[in-house]
Amino acid sequence: MLFLQMWLEKSSDAQKAKSNLLANSSLGILYVLAGDEVTAAGYGSPFLDSRVPDLIIGAKVGTLWNDGFEFEDHGGFLPQDLDVPLIAYNPNLKPANITQVVSNRQVASTMLQALGLPLAQLDAYRLGDSPVLPGLFT
């Protein structure tokens, strides 16, 4: 299932935003979690932690959201397709902003490393196509 996380300029607008989203049936929205619902779902509190989204929006199966311009079904070469933030949290990691170009393929090997599992279990890592993300374990 596809879901979208959304941070608002003012967290206090979350319930109004939820109502507006659900009022538009053409958006293909299955559910919207806002405020305390986000906390109850186990994501943390958007009121206490700015890293927690104000809204979590679930899409109905078969929904594709785009702005009407795309090169291919799974993204293209526009900045919004290529510049995807990745947030890694672990109390043992030092805070850092790493701007090096990486690939989604590196996430699996990074998760194995974080869990202390042998990287050799991953074919893509053994073949050299999936190195661990840089800067996390140094």
Side-chain angles (χ1 to χ4, degrees):
M1 173 188 304
L2 172 70
F3 72 94
L4 172 73
Q5 299 176 6
M6 186 177 289
W7 286 260
L8 303 174
E9 191 170 308
K10 292 191 279 181
S11 293
S12 59
D13 290 339
Q15 289 299 329
K16 181 177 181 179
K18 175 182 177 175
S19 295
N20 289 342
L21 287 166
L22 291 174
N24 189 340
S25 61
S26 67
L27 292 176
I29 293 174
L30 182 62
Y31 66 86
V32 178
L33 302 179
D36 291 331
E37 296 167 326
V38 173
T39 307
Y43 292 97
S45 172
F47 305 111
L48 301 175
D49 188 344
S50 63
R51 296 172 297 181
V52 176
D54 296 305
L55 299 171
I56 297 177
I57 305 163
K60 294 178 182 174
V61 174
T63 299
L64 175 64
W65 293 319
N66 71 41
D67 61 5
F69 180 77
E70 58 186 291
F71 288 110
E72 48 196 62
D73 286 342
H74 296 287
F77 298 102
L78 298 173
Q80 62 263 33
D81 298 322
L82 297 173
D83 298 331
V84 180
L86 175 65
I87 299 171
Y89 173 77
N90 180 316
N92 298 318
L93 296 177
K94 294 182 298 183
N97 183 9
I98 300 167
T99 58
Q100 182 175 342
V101 175
V102 296
S103 167
N104 288 349
R105 294 178 299 203
Q106 295 176 256
V107 173
S109 55
T110 303
M111 293 295 103
L112 285 176
Q113 176 84 21
L115 293 169
L117 298 173
L119 290 169
Q121 291 181 356
L122 186 64
D123 290 339
Y125 180 81
R126 280 196 325 270
L127 296 171
D129 294 333
S130 180
V132 173
L133 289 166
L136 294 179
F137 303 104
T138 57

